[in-house]
Amino acid sequence: MNSTTFEPALMKIEPACRYLDVGRSKLYELIREGKLESVKIGKSARVTTASLKRFVESLPASPGGSPIKRANAPSLEDLGLK
C-alpha cells in the first residue's frame, strides 16, 4: 500500500487562525489587506496554504530572539544561560 502524504491547498478559517496564532478578526484583516489569498467554496471561505506560508516567510525575524519582554520574566542571566 502506498501511503502518500499531501498538504491541502486550502485551509478553513479556524485552522488558518491556529496556523498563524491569530484571531478571526486579524485573519480577515490580513485577507482584506491582500496579505493572504482566500477563495469561497459555497458560503465558506478558505485561505490558500501557499499564501499562509508566504506570509510567515515574509515576516521579519526579531533580532536577539523574542520581541516580547515581560516585566516579570527572568533574563537569560537569571537562568544561567548567558
Side-chain angles (χ1 to χ4, degrees):
M1 189 185 267
N2 186 2
S3 61
T4 303
T5 60
F6 71 96
E7 181 176 274
L10 303 172
M11 199 177 288
K12 290 182 178 180
I13 297 300
E14 286 305 318
C17 290
R18 287 194 302 272
Y19 182 85
L20 295 178
D21 195 23
V22 298
R24 291 174 61 89
S25 296
K26 184 62 177 179
L27 189 83
Y28 281 114
E29 178 184 318
L30 293 169
I31 292 169
R32 276 192 309 278
E33 292 173 350
K35 295 178 180 175
L36 296 175
E37 299 168 355
S38 68
V39 296
K40 289 280 242 179
I41 299 178
K43 295 181 180 182
S44 183
R46 301 285 192 273
V47 180
T48 65
T49 304
S51 73
L52 287 167
K53 287 184 171 187
R54 277 194 306 273
F55 176 73
V56 171
E57 290 170 358
S58 74
L59 296 173
S62 299
S66 174
I68 300 170
K69 177 68 174 162
R70 295 186 180 149
N72 61 350
S75 68
L76 291 176
E77 290 84 13
D78 293 339
L79 297 172
L81 299 175
K82 198 165 186 181

